[in-house]
Amino acid sequence: MTSTRPYQSYVYAYPHKTAYRPLGEHPAGRPPLSELWADEPKDALSLYLHIPFCEVRCGFCNLFTRIGAPDELTTRYLDALDRQATAVRDALGDEAPVRFAAAAFGGGTPTFLTAGELERLCDITEKRMGADLRAVPLSVETSPSTATADRLAVLADRGATRVSIGVQSFVDAEARAAVRPQHRSEVEDALGRIRDARIPVLNIDLIYGIDGQTEESWRSSLDAALAWRPEELYLYPLYVRPLTGLGRHRTAADAPDHAWDEQRLRLYRAGRDHLLAHGYEQVSMRMFRRAGVPQAGPEDYACQTDGMIGLGCGARSYTSSLHYSFDYAVEMREIRGIIDGFTATEDFSRAEVGRYVTGDEARRRHLLQSLLQAEGLVSADYRERFGTDPRADFPSELDRFAERGWLDGSAGPGRLRLSPEGLAHSDALGPELFSPAVRAAMAAYEAK
């Protein structure tokens, strides 16, 4: 059994935005979007619209979001989003077919917007970008206090196929400990409204490792969630990150220790086993899907290879060679400034901040994004794309994972797949695949 710390970093994208830099500092300068996308395949794009507003900010949250939206800020934000969408769609051109295979509204909390504003958000997606929301999977994030009947009715009518609600805990004391001000009755009411809206897929987010949480209280939250028979459940380990509500009250003496790691691992295994026993299948370390439920996302979109269009100041976009976005921050004052700058922007024709992802970095990304899924990596797909074998490209890393028991030896020669213990250590395994250059860029980033 390895002594590697299991909880280092949640790798949901690579490279992390802290490795991005202003593209004006790059020798090539700020590239026009029309040039970036000119030779890219555009027949299976993913579309993501970011709404950076929340009614409160949870103590663990380091997402790009601000509390509230005074002085008609949501209107000005949607105006800017409209301008950006127009510029991006123009940049995609019409020489080759442009097709979106999936769409998502994230944040922040997209349902912070009113029902009328959600209608406008959908109009921007369809009329400006050309995405047919009733023909592709559409996922939307919400919260207990903003999952109102009128908002959900708009989403259902416009084609939403999945709603993800951040509950974190059904135990009021644990919600308070995570600086998540809510009551279980409010959560249950919101879940009832989501089911009444008949949106096909309900996802519930839960967090383990909260101060005071026990295996018994964790199981009670799991059972409360299971009572709604959600199609999906995400189980997240608690992290305490710099500049967050919990992080500001943490001292060096309170740094995460072995006991907390063991608590989180124990709760993870208990939660995993509980869901497996109740008919759920594990898709990744965090994601569980009820057996027999169709996949909410498109079968033909692959995050390892296909492009993504991100709209909004917290969204990122992916071409085959460049990942780009806007500036990133966690501290509230900095976030407000970035949002204000976004709403004042008139020209969205060039990429602002990003990182080129070619050669070795593209290989690392493909391996990482595949390996962190329970089904693993098909070696033939990797060879077809890169002309090499992943075992030859990353021998030391894969040997190290095998020595630790993180690889499934029964997967066969044509597939690399994590063992149950490897999935449990995804937040240690992922960071070990970061390149030295990305590690250096992340280390040099000044948190703000």
Side-chain angles (χ1 to χ4, degrees):
M1 180 72 173
T2 179
S3 60
T4 300
R5 295 206 54 200
Y7 298 104
Q8 296 180 31
S9 176
Y10 171 26
V11 184
Y12 56 90
Y14 178 80
H16 191 270
K17 285 177 76 172
T18 55
Y20 290 14
R21 293 295 183 269
L23 291 167
E25 300 173 2
H26 192 274
R30 293 168 52 233
L33 300 186
S34 56
E35 292 182 8
L36 283 178
W37 288 98
D39 298 321
E40 294 289 314
K42 297 183 275 285
D43 59 342
L45 296 171
S46 181
L47 179 61
Y48 176 78
L49 283 78
H50 180 257
I51 304 300
F53 306 113
C54 289
E55 70 278 14
V56 295
R57 195 173 200 194
C58 303
F60 52 82
C61 179
N62 72 337
L63 298 178
F64 189 93
T65 185
R66 61 159 292 164
I67 300 170
D71 303 322
E72 298 185 341
L73 180 56
T74 55
T75 299
R76 288 185 281 117
Y77 186 83
L78 290 172
D79 289 345
L81 203 64
D82 198 331
R83 294 194 298 274
Q84 185 190 15
T86 300
V88 171
R89 184 59 187 87
D90 287 347
L92 292 177
D94 295 311
E95 291 77 16
V98 176
R99 187 180 75 88
F100 294 98
F105 301 157
T109 308
T111 50
F112 178 91
L113 300 178
T114 65
E117 289 170 334
L118 286 171
E119 290 275 18
R120 186 179 179 197
L121 185 67
C122 293
D123 285 343
I124 291 171
T125 308
E126 293 192 327
K127 296 176 181 178
R128 296 290 186 261
M129 294 304 300
D132 185 348
L133 295 181
R134 292 178 180 84
V136 301
L138 170 61
S139 178
V140 185
E141 296 174 8
T142 191
S143 67
S145 64
T146 63
T148 58
D150 60 338
R151 292 174 169 104
L152 293 168
V154 168
L155 296 175
D157 179 65
R158 299 302 292 263
T161 55
R162 178 180 183 270
V163 169
S164 178
I165 183 169
V167 172
Q168 320 315 351
S169 177
F170 283 85
V171 179
D172 288 355
E174 291 178 5
R176 288 195 299 273
V179 196
R180 172 80 179 188
Q182 66 187 24
H183 296 287
R184 177 169 176 171
S185 59
E186 178 186 19
V187 171
E188 300 279 0
D189 288 346
L191 289 167
R193 291 190 294 271
I194 293 171
R195 282 309 197 196
D196 288 344
R198 299 187 180 279
I199 294 171
V201 174
L202 164 64
N203 173 71
I204 297 176
D205 288 345
L206 297 175
I207 284 182
Y208 55 92
I210 298 171
D211 188 32
Q213 192 175 47
T214 64
E215 287 190 51
E216 181 181 7
S217 68
W218 175 228
R219 179 164 295 199
S220 73
S221 273
L222 290 166
D223 286 337
L226 288 171
W228 290 96
R229 288 185 54 78
E231 286 70 25
E232 295 175 3
L233 276 160
Y234 271 72
L235 309 184
Y236 289 94
L238 179 66
Y239 278 95
V240 176
R241 301 178 177 93
L243 303 181
T244 62
L246 292 176
R248 283 194 295 271
H249 297 95
R250 201 173 189 90
T251 66
D254 297 323
D257 56 20
H258 178 72
W260 193 33
D261 285 345
E262 287 301 312
Q263 180 210 18
R264 286 181 287 179
L265 265 180
R266 186 171 61 253
L267 294 174
Y268 160 78
R269 290 176 175 133
R272 174 198 63 193
D273 294 347
H274 197 59
L275 294 186
L276 294 178
H278 281 76
Y280 284 74
E281 299 169 339
Q282 188 165 18
V283 179
S284 67
M285 173 188 170
R286 286 163 171 75
M287 182 182 177
F288 295 81
R289 181 183 295 125
R290 183 151 54 83
V293 172
Q295 179 178 330
E299 298 291 346
D300 58 348
Y301 174 77
C303 65
Q304 297 93 331
T305 57
D306 293 329
M308 183 165 82
I309 299 290
L311 301 178
C313 58
R316 63 182 89 203
S317 298
Y318 303 148
T319 71
S320 59
S321 61
L322 178 68
H323 292 189
Y324 64 93
S325 181
F326 293 90
D327 201 3
Y328 171 72
V330 175
E331 201 275 326
M332 190 63 66
R333 183 180 65 255
E334 297 285 347
I335 289 174
R336 291 193 199 104
I338 294 171
I339 293 173
D340 288 344
F342 176 82
T343 61
T345 299
E346 295 293 336
D347 182 3
F348 287 101
S349 65
R350 292 177 179 267
E352 297 287 338
V353 176
R355 188 172 187 89
Y356 285 91
V357 182
T358 57
D360 173 70
E361 294 291 20
R363 288 174 166 84
R364 287 180 183 277
R365 178 174 183 260
H366 189 107
L367 175 63
L368 190 155
Q369 297 280 57
S370 302
L371 203 53
L372 293 183
Q373 299 297 307
E375 63 182 17
L377 178 145
V378 177
S379 299
D381 294 343
Y382 184 98
R383 285 194 297 271
E384 181 180 358
R385 183 178 180 193
F386 298 110
T388 55
D389 189 90
R391 291 175 177 84
D393 289 345
F394 300 98
S396 60
E397 292 92 338
L398 294 175
D399 285 348
R400 188 163 65 246
F401 298 158
E403 290 169 5
R404 294 171 180 171
W406 289 358
L407 296 182
D408 180 359
S410 67
R415 186 180 294 269
L416 283 168
R417 185 170 61 209
L418 295 183
S419 65
E421 196 63 16
L423 279 173
H425 286 79
S426 292
D427 285 7
L429 183 151
E432 290 199 28
L433 289 173
F434 292 3
S435 71
V438 165
R439 289 176 182 274
M442 293 174 67
Y445 174 79
E446 293 186 13
K448 59 183 180 182

